[in-house]
Amino acid sequence: QEVQEDLNKQLFDNLVNFLRRSHSEFQEKTTEWTCRMKSREIPTAALVLGVNVTDHDLTFRSLSEVLQNNVTPYIALLEAKECPGIKNLLQKLMGQLMNCYVDVDSLEDEDNVQVSQNRMRCSMTSLVSWYESVTKKTDSETPRKRRNSSSRPWQSPPVVVVFKDMESFTTKVLQDFIVISSQHIHELPLILIFGIATSPMIIHSLLPHSVSSLLCIELFQSLSSKEHLSTVIDKLLLTAQFPFKLGEKVLQVLINIFLYHDFSVQNFIKGFQLCIVEHFYSQPLSILCCKPVDAKKRVNSLSHNQCENVRRLPSFRRYVESQASEKQIALLTTDSYLKEIIQKLLEDLQVYHENYVSVLRCLHVFTSSLPKYPLGKQIRELHCACLEHQVWETEEYESSLQLARMLNKSDLVTMLQRCVEILLSSSGKEFDKTVEKLKEFLTQFQKLEAEACQEQDVSLSSQKELQKKTDLYHLQKTLLELKESRRSKKLTKFEMLRFEVVEYLDSLVRNYLVPADHKTLHEIVYFNTASVLREHLNAAPRIALHTALNNPYWYLKNQALKSDGGGISNKVPDICIVYKLHLECGRLINLVDWLEAFSTVVTAAEGPNTDSASSAQVDDVIHARFIRAVSELELLGFIKPSKQKTDHVARLTWGGC
Amino acid sequence: LAKKNKENKMSNLVEEYFEAHSSSKVLTSDRTLQKLRKRRLDQQTLHDLLKKVPLAYAAEIKELNQQHESLFSKWMLQLHLGFNIVLYGLGSKRDLLEKFRTSVLQDSVHLVVNGYFPSITVRSVLSSITEEVLDHTGTFRSPLDQLEFIIKRFKEDSSLELYVLIHNLDSQMLRGERSQQILAQLCSLPSIYLIASIDHINAPLMWDQAKLSLYNWLWYETTTFSPYVEETSYENSLLVQQSGSLALSSITHVLRSLTLNARGIFRLLAQYQLENKDNPSYPGLSFQDFYQQCREAFLVNSDLTLRAQLTEFRDHKLIRTKRGADGVEYLLIPVDDSTLTDFLEKEDED
């Protein structure tokens, strides 16, 4: 648990940092702009943020921080749910501004009291008297600010009001606020920032021309959430820094949720978090999933049971089977030897990760520039493909190699250079040789270039020579030479070299991009139970209800419940009978018929052992059971009482579900 | 291929929908419960009757429950990590949550919200937090203020921890947009841990992206198959006698206490109404016509006596008057036709 919390924290810090950084550019632009704007209209920044509403909070928080640090303005963040009316909006605005004000200046006693007083008054006044008080307050506020700010280098810092979710504000409130504040723009320098989730068109559809003409709008576009995702994946998954890794299926599920459901990076992170929790909770060997330094200690302190657990891992079994027989015995019996081996294997795994990442990046450099992207455009697709199976066996890889063999030289050289950079920056030790080799390739290319130049020189000079008037013999000779050189160009060194490079890259891939499943002890660091994730994050309550009602055997493991298909068995629970009967109906259901059908089914079950004397009693009981089942269906939302016809209920679902 | 399959399924679903809603005419039989000659059960007898029925598959259900109970420690861990837990699946999850409460939460501060209780509101939930948990005896103008206060207190004091268990988060009273918003904001606090259960098939429609991220749900399927005893006891079922509407027994009770003529007047009205029951635009019997008929049957002798009699009926809610488009007063008996028929038959027997 400790490890996990550590990890969690680490992860979060990293993420927050990263998100900050990614926003900072965008924020700087905005701040700069807020400093600059000082005109008669209300300056307004419209931030187009995309549909992932859940991520915006962080953006706004860091934006306000940045704004505050540059001490330009006082900031109020407004949310639509807090401001159903203009009264609440102003109340909220005042409260926040006052607080801001106190925070920034940290003035004592007098001001504080005044602030709280003001706030009280503001909140208690009714709509009419509120207006006066607000004008008074804004009046009284502004000079104070002026007075205050005169001691500062800049005159009258603007007040920034951020509308976090423009779409959900009521138009009336927004319009009123804009009109009111435009009247006071001289005394109170206001700047509005709209957070827009859809498109800037919304401003014009929300605000009529008379209102929007009061605004001086500038548009800002934030990064798309897809780009965020790729950077998050880059930072989280494609580093050797975190010992915890995601398996292919899990990653696929997370990405699918992201791409097909919500575009929310926050939810992606949540899913990742759940993976961590689940992994450390369910896998007893996950204690070994930590930094190599700690791992050594922990391996040494493993108990016998834990060692047994290790022996039970399928990947470890494979490993044992590949060893010599006396070694096998040692592995399976002596704990101390096992621990040694575990340490070695863990180190191997670590090295594998380091190499994997950098080679993956190299491969991505190549494949991402190919036409039609046979292996995917993004590095995450490549990563998934590599994790899924041996990538060099796939058709896509084959075709991308073929395409790579047709690259032209300048591309190839730049790619090689980038590969060298990547490999140099990676921490793996085994790459010295690789780097050397690649550098060699590069120098060869340069040489080639030089040669080509020389050749050209030669040809030029030869042509010059040609132009010189020489004797026939010389001319013939030079022409022959020229021909020769041209022919040799046909099977150039360059092409050979290109083949060589591609071959080498291929070998790199084969060596280092082995899928993790094939590694020994991968279970410790890889989390691969995608079903858990799907169940808990992307649940389908309707399907669960449907299976429970249609096929109760799924849950209640009683032989009697095993149904043979379409028929309505009388042994299933009451509610299932009622449900199945209701499936056969149209839009309206007659309660009497339903009840009769139900009692027919049920009495068929009890048929042999009922006496005719107690049939009335049985009838009542059946009636009661029917009532209970029907009201349960009503609670579940399958039916609702209908007024269309007496004693009928309306069905709310359709078809067979 | 899977995608194509899915698409097929999808279009099937759509077709089924239009099939179900294509014809406005519904073919069902006209039989009604009255004709069954079976007394309507009231809440108490229903309960008694159901007690006699043994629960089917008790052993298997118990096994299911044990499976779910083994997850308790995991839930606790996940709650502490900032997730909230939502339970779905067939069957009442009340007992399961109760078990969770008694076995795990015994020593910690916790709050149980019975969502199925018909008069529960978000306000009462918030008040119970401020009053019982935070020991604050003040009133708030709006739930939003109250929420703000709670959030502030919880942020200030990190030692405060609160477990909230909500049975039926999707119940009538709590499913509104505003109440969900408030609950979501409340439960997004790191020191408030929420476990809720949902039953309605459309429950997830309550939440949009923003609320979902506030709730931070982890879904758990807990199909229990146990009957919804508490939950449905408030559900006004069709088959259970409803106290609100007029029943046959109450009509006869009232009429027994009246004079013969008064009974005759009511009978006349009832007969007239039954004769016109197939006419959907039948507005009722106009007062003038009614007076005429009553006079012919020697039931009243003046306008005034009939009016007095009708006032008496109206006080007992036996009739309703309605003004038509032409300004004439029309008289109606606000009772099911079938009940009325039963009543007339019974009268004939006497």
Side-chain angles (χ1 to χ4, degrees):
Chain A
Q1 272 196 21
E2 255 176 59
V3 195
Q4 167 193 321
E5 255 154 44
D6 261 14
L7 213 67
N8 246 338
K9 225 177 98 192
Q10 217 174 356
L11 184 113
F12 266 139
D13 288 350
N14 224 8
L15 274 172
V16 169
N17 272 342
F18 148 70
L19 280 178
R20 284 235 172 101
R21 232 174 306 137
S22 71
H23 285 306
S24 63
E25 195 183 324
F26 166 64
Q27 276 153 9
E28 262 160 37
K29 253 198 304 187
T30 337
T31 36
E32 199 179 288
W33 176 80
T34 40
C35 294
R36 218 177 50 227
M37 283 306 280
K38 245 151 231 172
S39 74
R40 285 207 59 232
E41 297 157 320
I42 312 175
T44 309
L47 313 182
V48 182
L49 291 169
V51 287
N52 46 338
V53 195
T54 43
D55 301 340
H56 298 171
D57 228 25
L58 205 64
T59 319
F60 282 121
R61 219 177 304 143
S62 49
L63 174 67
S64 73
E65 224 163 78
V66 170
L67 287 173
Q68 205 128 49
N69 286 345
N70 299 358
V71 199
T72 353
Y74 303 105
I75 304 151
L77 294 157
L78 295 178
E79 270 180 79
K81 60 181 178 243
E82 292 166 336
C83 320
I86 183 96
K87 178 183 162 188
N88 307 65
L89 188 144
L90 275 146
Q91 203 172 304
K92 204 90 207 163
L93 178 64
M94 288 301 151
Q96 283 201 20
L97 282 181
M98 292 302 192
N99 269 343
C100 253
Y101 187 65
V102 173
D103 276 354
V104 173
D105 296 343
S106 64
L107 290 177
E108 289 292 303
D109 38 62
E110 222 182 5
D111 245 3
N112 248 334
V113 175
Q114 205 176 350
V115 165
S116 56
Q117 246 179 5
N118 270 339
R119 203 168 168 196
M120 287 303 285
R121 204 188 329 147
C122 180
S123 58
M124 278 197 293
T125 43
S126 65
L127 198 78
V128 187
S129 61
W130 156 83
Y131 190 69
E132 294 160 19
S133 81
V134 150
T135 45
K136 204 165 61 194
K137 196 144 45 107
T138 43
D139 276 345
S140 68
E141 191 184 326
T142 345
R144 258 198 306 159
K145 236 168 230 181
R146 282 270 156 75
R147 169 171 53 83
N148 217 352
S149 53
S150 58
S151 61
R152 294 211 173 141
W154 40 74
Q155 349 83 323
S156 71
V159 174
V160 176
V161 182
V162 181
F163 295 91
K164 278 184 177 177
D165 35 1
M166 174 89 170
E167 276 89 349
S168 25
F169 273 92
T170 35
T171 35
K172 184 87 175 51
V173 172
L174 213 55
Q175 287 172 22
D176 285 355
F177 177 73
I178 291 170
V179 171
I180 292 169
S181 51
S182 75
Q183 311 236 310
H184 299 275
I185 190 72
H186 294 290
E187 301 108 59
L188 182 72
L190 261 181
I191 289 178
L192 308 181
I193 297 180
F194 295 145
I196 294 170
T198 50
S199 81
M201 286 299 291
I202 192 78
I203 299 177
H204 299 291
S205 59
L206 271 183
L207 304 174
H209 181 69
S210 58
V211 177
S212 58
S213 65
L214 295 171
L215 302 174
C216 174
I217 301 172
E218 186 154 329
L219 209 62
F220 294 87
Q221 196 89 31
S222 81
L223 275 177
S224 81
S225 57
K226 256 190 191 166
E227 279 162 63
H228 278 195
L229 178 75
S230 35
T231 15
V232 165
I233 286 180
D234 222 48
K235 289 255 145 91
L236 277 185
L237 303 180
L238 299 179
T239 51
Q241 200 185 343
F242 295 116
F244 174 76
K245 305 279 179 210
L246 288 183
E248 184 268 333
K249 277 190 202 127
V250 173
L251 186 60
Q252 203 63 263
V253 167
L254 280 181
I255 289 176
N256 279 350
I257 291 178
F258 177 86
L259 288 179
Y260 295 120
H261 288 263
D262 53 9
F263 285 116
S264 156
V265 178
Q266 205 115 54
N267 280 358
F268 183 84
I269 293 163
K270 180 187 154 191
F272 191 76
Q273 218 181 335
L274 178 69
C275 290
I276 295 177
V277 174
E278 197 60 40
H279 180 68
F280 283 90
Y281 187 82
S282 57
Q283 176 66 256
L285 289 170
S286 57
I287 41 163
L288 298 179
C289 174
C290 53
K291 296 254 144 80
V293 192
D294 301 330
K296 225 169 237 175
K297 269 187 252 156
R298 283 182 203 178
V299 168
N300 282 332
S301 62
L302 280 183
S303 69
H304 177 70
N305 270 344
Q306 283 166 321
C307 288
E308 283 301 310
N309 278 334
V310 172
R311 284 181 189 127
R312 239 172 270 143
L313 291 179
S315 70
F316 190 74
R317 283 226 200 114
R318 267 202 312 263
Y319 173 75
V320 170
E321 274 158 26
S322 66
Q323 299 295 315
S325 60
E326 61 265 29
K327 234 180 172 186
Q328 275 185 6
I329 292 165
L331 275 174
L332 292 178
T333 49
T334 34
D335 281 358
S336 54
Y337 181 64
L338 178 77
K339 282 175 188 172
E340 254 171 58
I341 293 293
I342 291 175
Q343 275 183 19
K344 218 178 77 206
L345 286 173
L346 282 179
E347 268 165 33
D348 279 356
L349 210 58
Q350 177 74 17
V351 169
Y352 157 73
H353 283 146
E354 281 166 4
N355 297 341
Y356 174 87
V357 171
S358 28
V359 174
L360 186 74
R361 278 176 208 275
C362 288
L363 184 61
H364 181 238
V365 165
F366 271 89
T367 56
S368 63
S369 62
L370 297 175
K372 283 211 233 157
Y373 314 104
L375 272 171
K377 205 176 186 178
Q378 309 276 354
I379 195 162
R380 58 160 194 266
E381 290 162 288
L382 195 62
H383 182 55
C384 278
C386 288
L387 280 177
E388 200 177 354
H389 31 63
Q390 292 169 332
V391 75
W392 54 87
E393 280 173 356
T394 58
E395 270 174 51
E396 290 88 6
Y397 183 76
E398 208 42 52
S399 64
S400 54
L401 270 195
Q402 227 132 54
L403 286 170
R405 287 192 190 109
M406 289 183 268
L407 285 170
N408 66 3
K409 194 171 72 183
S410 59
D411 281 355
L412 197 59
V413 170
T414 51
M415 274 180 211
L416 278 177
Q417 268 163 350
R418 275 178 62 192
C419 285
V420 169
E421 269 168 40
I422 290 168
L423 291 180
L424 275 181
S425 64
S426 88
S427 50
K429 291 149 214 143
E430 291 180 23
F431 287 118
D432 297 343
K433 243 194 276 172
T434 330
V435 170
E436 216 119 279
K437 182 88 185 171
L438 285 182
K439 272 187 178 161
E440 197 182 303
F441 278 134
L442 267 184
T443 47
Q444 276 180 4
F445 272 112
Q446 273 156 9
K447 233 187 265 167
L448 215 64
E449 216 164 331
E451 268 171 34
C453 281
Q454 270 178 6
E455 248 170 56
Q456 263 181 359
D457 278 353
V458 168
S459 61
L460 271 180
S461 60
S462 61
Q463 270 169 356
K464 264 177 205 162
E465 270 172 32
L466 268 179
Q467 278 159 2
K468 267 192 257 168
K469 290 224 164 141
T470 45
D471 54 30
L472 205 69
Y473 170 71
H474 260 276
L475 180 73
Q476 225 168 9
K477 209 173 129 191
T478 42
L479 276 175
L480 267 178
E481 263 174 20
L482 261 178
K483 230 183 208 169
E484 201 90 315
S485 67
R486 256 187 217 141
R487 193 170 297 145
S488 69
K489 226 183 203 166
K490 281 283 192 282
L491 39 110
T492 45
K493 271 187 195 165
F494 166 66
E495 271 170 28
M496 309 240 301
L497 200 56
R498 191 161 64 180
F499 271 116
E500 221 174 301
V501 168
V502 172
E503 287 298 312
Y504 187 70
L505 193 77
D506 190 29
S507 70
L508 267 185
V509 167
R510 277 163 201 266
N511 277 336
Y512 292 116
L513 293 187
V514 184
D517 292 4
H518 294 237
K519 288 279 165 190
T520 314
L521 288 187
H522 71 89
E523 285 95 340
I524 291 176
V525 289
Y526 278 87
F527 176 71
N528 220 348
T529 10
S531 62
V532 174
L533 209 64
R534 225 177 281 134
E535 234 169 75
H536 296 328
L537 287 183
N538 210 0
R542 276 183 90 138
I543 290 175
L545 278 181
H546 184 69
T547 35
L549 288 170
N550 238 345
N551 185 13
Y553 178 68
W554 187 266
Y555 295 97
L556 304 171
K557 301 289 179 200
N558 193 317
Q559 283 305 317
L561 288 175
K562 227 171 186 172
S563 77
D564 43 350
I568 300 172
S569 145
N570 50 31
K571 295 189 191 75
V572 296
D574 289 348
I575 188 167
C576 301
I577 299 177
V578 172
Y579 175 76
K580 284 199 173 164
L581 288 171
H582 123 283
L583 281 187
E584 293 171 354
C585 296
R587 202 144 49 86
L588 282 183
I589 305 170
N590 187 322
L591 276 175
V592 183
D593 295 346
W594 201 5
L595 170 62
E596 229 149 66
F598 176 74
S599 69
T600 321
V601 172
V602 172
T603 43
E606 288 160 0
N609 51 6
T610 39
D611 313 328
S612 54
S614 61
S615 72
Q617 180 66 27
V618 169
D619 250 22
D620 262 358
V621 170
I622 288 174
H623 192 184
R625 278 164 64 184
F626 178 69
I627 291 173
R628 176 172 65 182
V630 168
S631 46
E632 278 172 4
L633 273 194
E634 192 182 343
L635 178 84
L636 291 177
F638 284 103
I639 52 165
K640 73 165 190 205
S642 160
K643 288 249 160 63
Q644 272 181 33
K645 228 170 157 185
T646 42
D647 290 331
H648 275 66
V649 289
R651 211 181 136 187
L652 299 176
T653 54
W654 64 88
C657 70
Chain B
L1 193 80
K3 206 173 175 184
K4 206 172 181 183
N5 256 338
K6 214 174 169 184
E7 248 165 39
N8 266 337
K9 227 179 189 173
M10 211 43 198
S11 66
N12 266 344
L13 265 183
V14 173
E15 269 162 29
E16 276 171 359
Y17 174 83
F18 284 113
E19 208 174 292
H21 290 255
S22 56
S23 66
S24 58
K25 200 159 160 45
V26 188
L27 288 173
T28 49
S29 69
D30 288 331
R31 300 202 296 166
T32 54
L33 285 176
Q34 259 70 30
K35 287 194 181 137
L36 266 186
R37 309 220 135 271
K38 196 175 279 173
R39 64 197 166 84
R40 288 196 163 201
L41 303 166
D42 57 28
Q43 213 42 274
Q44 190 56 45
T45 46
L46 180 71
H47 196 74
D48 292 342
L49 278 174
L50 286 180
K51 252 190 192 165
K52 285 183 208 155
V53 186
L55 187 59
Y57 305 108
E60 283 84 2
I61 289 175
K62 205 172 161 200
E63 199 176 308
L64 267 181
N65 273 325
Q66 270 163 0
Q67 265 176 38
H68 301 320
E69 278 157 26
S70 64
L71 292 172
F72 281 175
S73 59
K74 195 170 177 182
W75 289 355
M76 283 303 276
L77 174 70
Q78 284 170 341
L79 285 176
H80 279 276
L81 286 170
F83 292 105
N84 290 320
I85 285 173
V86 62
L87 310 177
Y88 65 92
L90 182 68
S92 167
K93 289 154 285 268
R94 212 184 100 83
D95 295 337
L96 187 69
L97 280 182
E98 274 302 295
K99 190 88 184 282
F100 178 72
R101 187 180 75 83
T102 47
S103 61
V104 186
L105 299 182
Q106 206 47 265
D107 304 326
S108 37
V109 187
H110 56 266
L111 175 75
V112 179
V113 179
N114 293 325
Y116 52 82
F117 190 62
S119 60
I120 191 128
T121 56
V122 188
R123 187 142 206 171
S124 57
V125 176
L126 291 179
S127 303
S128 55
I129 292 178
T130 49
E131 280 161 26
E132 316 267 321
V133 181
L134 299 178
D135 282 331
H136 175 86
T137 55
T139 51
F140 299 89
R141 268 172 302 117
S142 73
L144 277 177
D145 282 345
Q146 204 164 357
L147 181 71
E148 210 169 295
F149 172 79
I150 292 170
I151 290 174
K152 212 174 120 203
R153 280 293 299 273
F154 271 94
K155 278 198 176 143
E156 274 169 9
D157 192 349
S158 56
S159 68
L160 278 173
E161 281 189 338
L162 175 66
Y163 294 86
V164 183
L165 287 92
I166 303 183
H167 301 292
N168 292 72
L169 186 61
D170 53 348
S171 65
Q172 288 290 348
M173 297 308 292
L174 297 180
R175 68 172 62 149
E177 204 266 335
R178 285 180 56 79
S179 30
Q180 285 295 329
Q181 177 72 48
I182 287 171
L183 283 177
Q185 265 177 293
L186 186 70
C187 298
S188 66
L189 285 178
S191 50
I192 290 184
Y193 312 114
L194 172 70
I195 291 196
S197 68
I198 58 169
D199 286 305
H200 201 279
I201 44 170
N202 292 330
L205 294 182
M206 298 189 289
W207 302 314
D208 57 13
Q209 284 294 334
K211 286 195 202 82
L212 277 178
S213 83
L214 282 176
Y215 270 125
N216 208 5
W217 287 129
L218 279 190
W219 298 77
Y220 274 90
E221 184 181 333
T222 54
T223 303
T224 61
F225 274 101
S226 36
Y228 292 98
V229 181
E230 290 288 321
E231 287 91 331
T232 52
S233 68
Y234 296 105
E235 191 105 3
N236 252 333
S237 174
L238 302 148
L239 303 163
V240 179
Q241 202 167 66
Q242 280 163 14
S243 52
S245 75
L246 211 51
L248 183 62
S249 60
S250 45
I251 298 180
T252 39
H253 266 297
V254 173
L255 285 179
R256 287 255 167 81
S257 62
L258 292 176
T259 63
L260 207 62
N261 273 3
R263 259 186 272 177
I265 293 170
F266 188 76
R267 205 187 145 86
L268 204 68
L269 189 59
Q271 267 166 352
Y272 195 79
Q273 184 160 336
L274 279 181
E275 274 163 29
N276 286 296
K277 73 178 174 190
D278 294 327
N279 178 11
S281 60
Y282 165 69
L285 188 57
S286 74
F287 180 77
Q288 278 309 320
D289 291 349
F290 192 35
Y291 176 57
Q292 204 58 43
Q293 288 189 20
C294 286
R295 261 185 84 102
E296 279 164 13
F298 297 111
L299 291 172
V300 291
N301 55 5
S302 77
D303 192 321
L304 265 178
T305 40
L306 182 58
R307 274 196 194 282
Q309 199 56 63
L310 289 182
T311 318
E312 177 140 14
F313 286 156
R314 200 177 301 141
D315 290 346
H316 284 103
K317 296 196 174 124
L318 287 179
I319 62 163
R320 214 176 55 207
T321 52
K322 199 164 65 177
R323 234 170 242 292
D326 45 357
V328 183
E329 225 176 341
Y330 289 104
L331 303 170
L332 269 178
I333 304 177
V335 178
D336 277 344
D337 291 342
S338 47
T339 320
L340 220 51
T341 330
D342 285 353
F343 162 73
L344 285 182
E345 279 168 12
K346 218 172 191 178
E347 284 280 278
D348 286 340
E349 279 169 22
D350 289 349

